[in-house]
Amino acid sequence: MKHFLLLITIASSILFAAMQERYIDNRLLASGIKIIDVRTPGEWKETGLVKGSIPIMFFDERGGYNVELFMSELQKHVNGKEQFALICRSGSRSRVVADFLSQNFGYNVINLQGGIKDAITKQMPLTPYKGK
């Protein structure tokens, strides 16, 4: 019986997990949704961050990654039930991470298409990255 309940729980989290694609806009920012910026510190310094976003690097400059470290940081800011958004430079890396989080952990994730480039073009509010 325990195994059956566990199987149902896992299956339902996979079925209800979602990854959406959308472009950033003022309505999204006004909603207060958490935005996780998965770029590198060098990229954060270069362009700044969308105001209110949370910088948590996924891929480093060489394309390497540490899932455990990323998940540990992510879980400090996002619970497993709330929807949140991911942003990178152009939307490619964040799409990979969004798919990964949705499929493997059941997160409800929005990939911000066009990334920070789109945010800059649309003159979304940015803040400088101050480092840790």
Side-chain angles (χ1 to χ4, degrees), residues 5-17:
L5 291 175
L6 179 61
L7 182 60
I8 294 295
T9 302
I10 292 170
S12 65
S13 70
I14 291 170
L15 290 174
F16 294 111

Side-chain angles (χ1 to χ4, degrees), residues 95-120:
R95 181 180 304 115
V96 169
V97 177
D99 279 336
F100 171 76
L101 293 173
S102 175
Q103 292 174 13
N104 293 292
F105 295 98
Y107 283 105
N108 187 359
V109 187
I110 297 172
N111 175 48
L112 294 177
Q113 296 175 296
I116 195 75
K117 292 167 104 179
D118 184 54
I120 291 168

Side-chain angles (χ1 to χ4, degrees), residues 35-92:
I35 300 174
I36 307 299
D37 191 322
V38 298
R39 298 178 298 147
T40 64
E43 291 173 300
W44 300 328
K45 289 176 190 172
E46 181 181 326
T47 63
L49 302 161
V50 170
K51 186 175 182 180
S53 65
I54 303 161
I56 308 174
M57 182 180 69
F58 191 88
F59 295 106
D60 64 23
E61 293 83 359
R62 295 182 189 160
Y65 54 90
N66 182 330
V67 172
E68 289 178 13
L69 180 60
F70 177 81
M71 293 303 295
S72 172
E73 288 299 311
L74 181 67
Q75 290 167 355
K76 291 177 185 176
H77 301 283
V78 176
N79 72 49
K81 294 181 175 96
E82 72 181 308
Q83 185 176 50
F84 61 97
L86 295 177
I87 192 168
C88 67
R89 185 178 62 82
S90 66
S92 295

Side-chain angles (χ1 to χ4, degrees), residues 22 24-33 35 50-53 112 119 123-125:
R22 73 178 278 189
I24 196 167
D25 58 27
N26 287 318
R27 196 172 83 208
L28 180 78
L29 293 180
S31 76
I33 192 168
I35 300 174
V50 170
K51 186 175 182 180
S53 65
L112 294 177
Q123 299 182 341
M124 295 289 109

